[in-house]
Amino acid sequence: MTSSPQPPTEPTDPAGHAGHAHADPGPPPDRSPGHSHGHSHSHGPAAPVSKHLRKVIAAVLIPFATAVVIGMAVLWPGGAPGHERTGVGFDRQTQQGKVIALQYVDCKSVNAAQVPATGDTSTPEGREALASQTGECKKVTIEVGTGPDKGRKFFEIVQPGAPRQLAGGQEVVVAYAPDAPQDLQYSVIDVNRKLPMTLLAGIFALAVVLVGRMRGLFALIALAVSFAILTLFILPAILQGSNPLVVAVVGASAIMLIALYMCHGLTARTSVAVLGTIVSLLLIGLLGSLFIDWAFLSGNTDDNTGLIHGLYPEIDMSGLLLAGVIIGSLGVLDDVTVTQTSAVWELHQADPSMGPRGLYRAGIRIGRDHIASVVNTLVLAYAGAALPLLLLFSIANSSMGSVANSELVAEEIVRTLVGSIGLVASVPVTTALAALVVSADRAGSPAATAASGPLGGGRGRRRKH
């Protein structure tokens, strides 16, 4: 948990509880044994109520967390299963390479392309072939930098209209086909982008830490843990044949618990956000399962999913689609539930006399603005990802009805709408839970604006006697 900085005149807590929140700056008060600091002590009329609420929250979350741990232990895959590479798509052996020489040659001399026998250049293929014959091509020499054939050189012809152009000294990714003829075993399939991607990730991490400080650092650690759970548990478990929906629920729950408590502290405020997220995820899972089955969405709509189904036919592709909906919705859900819970807590601190109904009404007004922006964000994010596909439909002069009815687009529509319904539902659910908890936790002690402790409220303050 992070703490508020102590004023220079404030003496150190004799109990030695460094890092816990204390009273507001002022003259050093009497340090009697009954004062409240990072742990809640049973004194004053509000203590029994706060202790009871902490027990209620713990009674819900501890069994849930235990079930998640047991689920991960039972489903733990121990690594992805091996298979014989097909050499198709991403399922290829790859090595690193580098462009060591480049020269310009006449495309016609290397027979880079040929005009159709009919001489018809009215089609895009014909025009491209003609341009390739009359233009200037690049003859690129690539040296293999990794693997058993390290140091081996091969040539590649790059046509002038090719979408990927190569330059001298450029690092590339090459595919290796051991069963192909000697001269055709290696070919360039992509460029090496590790340096710019690593630099961008470093800038992102630096910005998060500079602005968020310790919270930002914990957020980066939680992000690393989330990726670890995704790559070490969720993906291998699905490949091993476990039910994708069960794996997604267990993995997403583990990510949620670790990320929320690591970033926001082990407090009642965070626990309410966790409860709101759980309820919303259950709703998303139920709606997703219903409409994926009802709309007959197979989850096998492109080359990548087709390759997965071909390599591992026992994987339930529609279940994999539902798992993606749940995991994809989790990140935005965390943002909504934490924001709503914090809003209710701050409203109560600003006016401790507000009851649960007043807190709910004020919090839901904030939530309506949040709903409008988040739903729009989700829709635009999916539309941006599918922009090339939408352009293809536009080129084909397809109607909106036929576009929406195609399985490829219907999947994204179901994903967006089911996730958005869960987000919308999370606002009133989380706001109501937060209003009830924060009001009951302060009952009988208006002066105590926050209950501390492992499941206490947000920032701890000294109770006045």
Side-chain angles (χ1 to χ4, degrees), residues 130-302:
L130 181 62
S132 298
Q133 273 205 337
T134 57
E136 198 173 35
C137 293
K138 295 178 182 177
K139 185 178 181 181
V140 183
T141 304
I142 295 106
E143 182 179 25
V144 180
T146 58
D149 294 329
K150 182 178 180 180
R152 180 176 169 179
K153 299 179 180 62
F154 66 96
F155 300 100
E156 185 113 350
I157 301 298
V158 181
Q159 299 181 21
R164 181 178 61 245
Q165 296 293 321
L166 300 178
Q170 188 171 25
E171 295 186 351
V172 295
V173 179
V174 297
Y176 174 56
D179 297 333
Q182 182 78 8
D183 295 338
L184 302 176
Q185 287 183 335
Y186 285 95
S187 61
V188 176
I189 59 172
D190 210 342
V191 298
N192 192 326
R193 303 179 179 88
K194 290 182 179 179
L195 179 60
M197 300 296 285
T198 303
L199 179 61
L200 181 60
I203 295 173
F204 164 73
L206 182 63
V208 170
V209 173
L210 286 178
V211 177
R213 299 188 179 181
M214 287 303 297
R215 287 287 181 93
L217 179 61
F218 282 126
L220 291 177
I221 296 173
L223 180 62
V225 172
S226 299
F227 272 106
I229 293 175
L230 183 65
T231 56
L232 299 178
F233 171 68
I234 295 178
L235 299 180
I238 292 175
L239 291 177
Q240 290 282 10
S242 299
N243 186 295
L245 176 58
V246 176
V247 172
V249 169
V250 173
S253 299
I255 291 173
M256 172 190 65
L257 290 172
I258 294 172
L260 286 180
Y261 282 118
M262 183 175 289
C263 294
H264 305 287
L266 196 63
T267 64
R269 180 187 300 195
T270 309
S271 299
V272 170
V274 168
L275 291 174
T277 305
I278 293 172
V279 173
S280 303
L281 281 179
L282 288 175
L283 177 61
I284 289 173
L286 291 173
L287 287 175
S289 178
L290 171 63
F291 283 95
I292 286 174
D293 290 341
W294 195 3
F296 296 100
L297 298 178
S298 65
N300 189 0
T301 54
D302 56 22

